[in-house]
Amino acid sequence: MYASEGDVLRLDKYISVSAALTRSESQRTIRAGRVAVNNTLIRDPAMHIRGDECVTLDGNVLSYSEFIYIMLNKPAGYISATEDARPGERVVTELLPPELLRRKPFPVGRLDRDTTGLIIMTNDGASAHRALSPNSHVAKTYRFTCSPTLSKESKAMLERGVDIGEVDSLGRSLLTAPAIVTINSLGSEGEITITEGKFHQIKRMFTAVGSKITSLSRVSFAGIALDESLPAGEWRYLMPEEIEKFTSAGRGKAGM
Ligand code: URA
């Protein structure tokens, strides 16, 4: 079912979404007699669909889903915005094919231009909003390299919380929330998991302990791990269990 009980959907919208066609391509396809609903050929694009019918295109059963959920491995040099955000900049939506862009996906949260790795793209605004809400405390894990190397004391400070210049509504200094940090024996690389999403947060956290991030890559968001087989610049659909993690993030299931 695509909608709450009692809702209806036009056949041309159904075909355009489920077969990745424009609305006019979908209407032409229907008028050409290529679409059947419950085994009856339908040529009326305005026919109303409830969602429990069997709809076929050229004999192939279609399935309708209101939302799309995509995992993108962001390369460096792209900004996390939609195509109309900043003229002249390379934006992550350029990495998706036109038929997907018709569904209007947007990046869930931002990675800096030089940060690589996992970005979820979706057109499910409500779930994205929940996942990004500061109250949701959704965990994000980043792989980093840094210089100068991180001492055990600095690691412990990052884990406890550091002052990155944030203040509360009364102007009092706020520390970052507790983080989980693992480092190699040299202190030059590791992973950090945070549950906030302040501007340049990790870079500012490392600056606060006297180090500097030299590379940053997100490897997990809300319990969804970046698919290691996905080359930089490539995308794939989220799998059902990943969609479940994403849509339940912020409902109390995705923290650290
Ligand atoms: N923290 C940063 O500093 N940059 C990012 O892109 C993400 C988290």
Side-chain angles (χ1 to χ4, degrees):
M1 263 305 209
Y2 62 85
S4 57
E5 224 170 302
D7 284 349
V8 289
L9 178 71
R10 277 175 58 119
L11 182 59
D12 55 356
K13 168 97 192 283
Y14 185 106
I15 298 296
S16 117
V17 166
S18 53
L21 300 174
T22 63
R23 191 64 85 93
S24 53
E25 284 168 348
S26 158
Q27 290 171 353
R28 275 200 299 278
T29 303
I30 296 164
R31 290 201 182 98
R34 295 170 56 195
V35 171
V37 177
N38 290 339
N39 286 322
T40 305
L41 214 97
I42 303 291
R43 289 177 190 268
D44 175 12
M47 177 189 178
H48 280 174
I49 293 289
R50 287 202 328 260
D52 54 0
E53 301 90 340
C54 174
V55 181
T56 57
L57 169 61
D58 297 333
N60 300 310
V61 177
L62 297 175
S63 75
Y64 179 94
S65 149
E66 191 180 358
F67 299 125
I68 50 168
Y69 302 94
I70 291 159
M71 166 186 295
L72 172 73
N73 185 358
K74 177 189 171 299
Y78 284 77
I79 61 165
S80 312
T82 49
E83 54 205 330
D84 48 10
R86 298 207 201 156
E89 294 264 26
R90 283 187 294 176
V91 291
V92 287
T93 44
E94 286 172 36
L95 298 163
L96 302 180
E99 64 273 18
L100 269 187
L101 293 181
R102 273 187 222 126
R103 311 277 317 264
K104 306 242 181 306
F106 56 85
V108 179
R110 286 173 189 274
L111 292 181
D112 297 338
R113 187 200 312 258
D114 56 352
T115 301
T116 59
L118 175 61
I119 287 207
I120 307 286
M121 311 256 319
T122 184
N123 52 2
D124 177 355
S127 295
H129 185 260
R130 258 198 316 277
L132 292 175
S133 160
N135 297 329
S136 296
H137 309 294
V138 165
K140 300 129 201 147
T141 302
Y142 297 80
R143 204 165 281 155
F144 64 84
T145 59
C146 62
S147 176
T149 54
L150 210 58
S151 64
K152 292 226 165 58
E153 293 71 39
S154 300
K155 171 183 179 293
M157 283 168 73
L158 291 175
E159 286 174 334
R160 279 197 304 270
V162 289
D163 182 357
I164 59 170
E166 296 286 324
V167 288
D168 68 12
S169 55
L170 299 173
R172 291 174 301 201
S173 266
L174 283 176
L175 296 186
T176 53
I180 298 173
V181 184
T182 55
I183 48 172
N184 65 354
S185 55
L186 297 175
S188 58
E189 61 181 72
E191 285 192 357
I192 178 165
T193 301
I194 59 173
T195 56
E196 299 166 300
K198 306 246 160 58
F199 186 60
H200 296 328
Q201 174 153 348
I202 292 176
K203 291 173 183 166
R204 289 159 68 202
M205 288 172 75
F206 276 67
T207 303
V209 298
S211 182
K212 189 172 180 325
I213 288 288
T214 47
S215 72
L216 193 60
S217 182
R218 185 155 66 191
V219 293
S220 159
F221 179 94
I224 302 164
L226 176 65
D227 188 332
E228 299 283 347
S229 69
L230 204 59
E234 299 284 317
W235 64 275
R236 70 157 169 80
Y237 288 108
L238 289 193
M239 311 223 233
E241 63 274 19
E242 294 169 332
I243 294 175
E244 168 62 22
K245 284 181 181 166
F246 177 70
T247 55
S248 63
R251 296 189 205 261
K253 293 185 196 167
M256 298 205 294

